[in-house]
């Protein structure tokens, strides 16, 4: 679950130029690149809806541009007849956007259909730590190059199969991991030094999103923009941005003004009330966001490395551990089996009795 596969065939070259994308929003890339599209999803009802409708719309928050119609596609499940033919000789580029927790399952499915005699190029589009490594290990084949991309675009479901999206023009991906391959789509941008860029994005954008989501939940918000514009949360958010900016510049040598602008863009996005989003969607799967090198613990450790105040993210971690909502079955199971102390050691990777460990527990008590 958590996404779909999109395969894009070049109608001018039936043998080569097929792109495969696991995603919802990136289908428009295939459309704009004049590719035929194939979706693959484990949700049989969604597959049926796509095939019956024959088209759907990507609509944009705030009406900043006209709705974009996606058509000329087919949809399959992994069990559909002919699924192996989708990944035949013409299959070339695969995008995976299914949620980090689903990568191992998707890798197992891909391992069944990828041909041994062909080399495949894969790009993950996940807000997760080293998703390319996780997927490559799950597939377990040598004839693949697995890259990573950043996810800056907010996209949520609208009515039926239509979706609402932020108008973001590019998908930036790691050039080195593509082993010299350059995708034939103008909306895909390959960039160098990408691993540092992905960490920068995770620690700036995604960490700030957690501050808003978990502290917003604690204050009773359900609308994400409302939480982002709360005066108390805004004050904490600004404090966290200031510390994050300093430590990222020290660690990676970013220009302070450039990093400040990078952070400002993320704040502007989160506070934009035309982007309709929920606290629950941004707070889901706290067990993943609390992992040792993820968007909360990773920047906390970096802040400690440079002697900075990590209190905002420590408060955020405490709220994330306390978080509860309908649909969080996996998280509820973890909390039923583990104490908060065990979550801090087993999931967050903290040493019992360490300063970070004790601070988060104190915030939980408060």
């Amino acid at each position: 679950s958590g996404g779909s596969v999109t395969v894009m065939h070049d109608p001018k070259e039936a043998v080569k130029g097929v792109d495969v994308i696991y995603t919802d929003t990136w289908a428009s890339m295939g459309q704009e690149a004049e590719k035929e599209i194939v979706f693959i999803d484990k949700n049989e009802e969604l597959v049926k809806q796509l095939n019956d409708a024959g088209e759907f719309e990507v609509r944009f928050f705030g009406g900043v541009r006209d709705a974009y119609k996606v058509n000329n596609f087919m949809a399959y499940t992994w069990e559909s007849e002919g699924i192996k033919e989708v990944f035949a000789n013409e299959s070339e580029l695969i995008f995976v956007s299914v949620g980090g927790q689903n990568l191992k399952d998707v890798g197992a499915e891909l391992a069944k259909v990828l041909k041994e005699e062909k080399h495949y190029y894969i790009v993950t589009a996940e807000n997760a730590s080293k998703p390319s490594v996780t997927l490559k290990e799950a597939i377990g084949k040598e004839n693949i190059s697995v890259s990573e991309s950043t996810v800056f675009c907010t996209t949520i479901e609208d009515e039926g199969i239509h979706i609402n999206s932020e108008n973001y023009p590019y998908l930036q991906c790691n050039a080195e991991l593509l082993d010299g391959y350059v995708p034939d789509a103008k909306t895909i941008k390959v960039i160098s030094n990408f691993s540092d860029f992905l960490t920068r994005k995770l620690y700036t954008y995604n960490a700030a999103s957690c501050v808003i989501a978990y502290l917003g939940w604690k204050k009773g918000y359900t609308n994400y923009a409302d939480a982002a514009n709360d005066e108390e949360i805004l004050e904490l958010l600004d404090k966290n941005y200031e510390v994050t900016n300093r430590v990222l510049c020290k660690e990676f040598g970013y220009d302070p003004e450039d990093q400040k602008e990078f952070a400002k863009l993320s704040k502007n996005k989160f506070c934009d009330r035309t982007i309709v989003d929920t606290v629950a969607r941004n707070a889901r799967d706290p067990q993943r966001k609390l992992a040792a090198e993820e968007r909360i613990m990773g920047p906390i450790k970096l802040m400690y490395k440079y002697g900075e105040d990590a209190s905002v993210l420590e408060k955020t971690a405490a709220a994330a551990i306390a978080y509860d909502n309908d649909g969080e079955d996996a998280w509820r199971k973890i909390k039923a089996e583990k104490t908060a102390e065990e979550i801090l050691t087993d999931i967050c990777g903290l040493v019992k009795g360490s300063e970070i460990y004790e601070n988060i527990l104190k915030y939980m008590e408060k």
Side-chain angles (χ1 to χ4, degrees):
S1 67
S4 54
V5 184
T6 311
V7 184
M8 301 185 294
H9 297 256
D10 189 338
K12 301 172 185 174
E13 299 184 47
V15 176
K16 58 183 178 179
V18 176
D19 301 343
V20 185
I21 298 183
Y22 285 76
T23 183
D24 297 316
T25 57
W26 301 117
S28 61
M29 293 195 307
Q31 187 88 355
E32 291 173 347
E34 297 184 342
K35 309 289 185 181
E36 295 173 356
I37 303 168
V38 177
F39 290 101
I40 303 173
D41 196 283
K42 66 186 297 182
N43 185 332
E44 293 183 5
E45 178 58 30
L46 176 59
V47 167
K48 184 178 185 302
Q49 287 179 324
L50 286 168
N51 284 328
D52 288 348
E55 64 181 31
F56 65 91
E57 288 185 344
V58 181
R59 300 162 181 173
F60 297 92
F61 296 120
V64 294
R65 59 178 285 195
D66 293 337
Y68 193 92
K69 187 171 292 185
V70 179
N71 50 34
N72 194 28
F73 61 76
M74 288 293 294
Y76 297 86
T77 66
W78 287 110
E79 292 75 30
S80 297
E81 184 178 352
I83 189 64
K84 289 186 178 181
E85 283 69 22
V86 172
F87 296 90
N89 293 333
E90 64 268 26
S91 301
E92 189 169 304
L93 178 61
I94 303 171
F95 286 90
V96 180
S97 181
V98 295
Q101 70 276 16
N102 299 313
L103 285 172
K104 290 183 179 180
D105 289 342
V106 171
E109 294 293 346
L110 282 170
K112 298 175 187 177
V113 295
L114 298 184
K115 293 181 175 292
E116 298 291 342
E117 64 273 16
K118 178 175 176 55
H119 193 91
Y120 295 88
Y121 298 94
I122 303 172
V123 177
T124 61
E126 308 292 352
N127 286 320
S129 180
K130 299 180 180 178
S132 63
V133 175
T134 300
L135 184 62
K136 188 168 187 176
E137 290 178 352
I139 296 173
K141 292 180 180 290
E142 296 298 322
N143 59 321
I144 57 174
S145 297
V146 186
S147 184
E148 298 175 351
S149 67
T150 54
V151 181
F152 283 98
C153 187
T154 294
T155 302
I156 62 174
E157 294 177 3
D158 197 3
E159 64 199 52
I161 58 176
H162 305 297
I163 54 179
N164 278 318
S165 180
E166 181 184 0
N167 185 30
Y168 190 82
Y170 299 116
L171 181 69
Q172 298 99 333
C173 61
N174 190 325
E176 284 85 358
L177 294 179
L178 283 175
D179 299 322
Y181 175 80
V182 179
D184 180 24
K186 64 181 180 180
T187 49
I188 303 172
K189 299 292 185 183
V190 295
I191 61 175
S192 302
N193 300 318
F194 184 82
S195 59
D196 288 352
F197 181 71
L198 195 63
T199 299
R200 182 188 190 187
K201 189 257 181 180
L202 194 69
Y203 289 9
T204 305
Y205 272 70
N206 299 100
S209 177
C210 286
V211 172
I212 296 166
Y214 293 118
L215 298 183
W217 166 79
K218 190 67 180 66
K219 297 191 75 171
Y221 287 106
T222 56
N223 180 278
Y224 187 75
D226 287 345
N229 285 283
D230 176 272
E231 289 187 8
E232 182 182 2
I233 292 176
L234 272 176
E235 184 177 344
L236 292 171
L237 192 63
D238 286 338
K239 180 180 178 180
N240 187 66
Y241 276 134
E242 289 176 6
V243 177
T244 299
N245 291 348
R246 286 197 295 270
V247 298
L248 285 176
C249 289
K250 290 176 181 177
E251 183 74 5
F252 298 108
Y254 298 129
D255 176 77
E257 289 303 313
D258 183 55
Q259 172 60 28
K260 185 177 179 179
E261 179 65 21
F262 188 69
K264 183 181 178 181
L265 288 172
S266 87
K267 181 183 176 181
N268 290 346
K269 169 184 175 176
F270 297 145
C271 294
D272 186 348
R273 291 187 181 276
T274 67
I275 300 177
V276 182
D277 206 352
T278 65
V279 166
R281 195 185 76 87
N282 288 276
R284 65 188 177 194
D285 299 327
Q287 65 273 25
R288 177 168 60 91
K289 297 177 173 70
L290 283 164
E293 301 303 323
E294 264 283 349
R295 64 207 69 189
I296 298 176
M297 291 302 150
I300 286 178
K301 293 173 185 176
L302 195 60
M303 291 169 185
Y304 269 75
K305 176 180 177 179
Y306 290 104
E308 293 278 4
D309 180 3
S311 60
V312 176
L313 287 181
E314 288 170 337
K315 291 176 184 177
T316 300
I321 294 173
Y323 180 73
D324 183 61
N325 196 31
D326 291 342
E328 296 287 350
D329 295 341
W331 179 233
R332 285 177 172 176
K333 185 174 186 295
I334 289 171
K335 292 179 69 174
E337 296 173 349
K338 295 180 183 292
T339 63
E341 291 82 357
E342 289 171 331
I343 290 173
L344 287 173
T345 55
D346 299 353
I347 293 178
C348 302
L350 298 176
V351 176
K352 185 176 182 179
S354 66
E355 187 175 355
I356 301 173
Y357 175 98
E358 294 295 340
N359 283 345
I360 294 174
L361 285 181
K362 287 177 183 177
Y363 285 124
M364 288 195 69
E365 291 171 5
K366 290 182 181 180

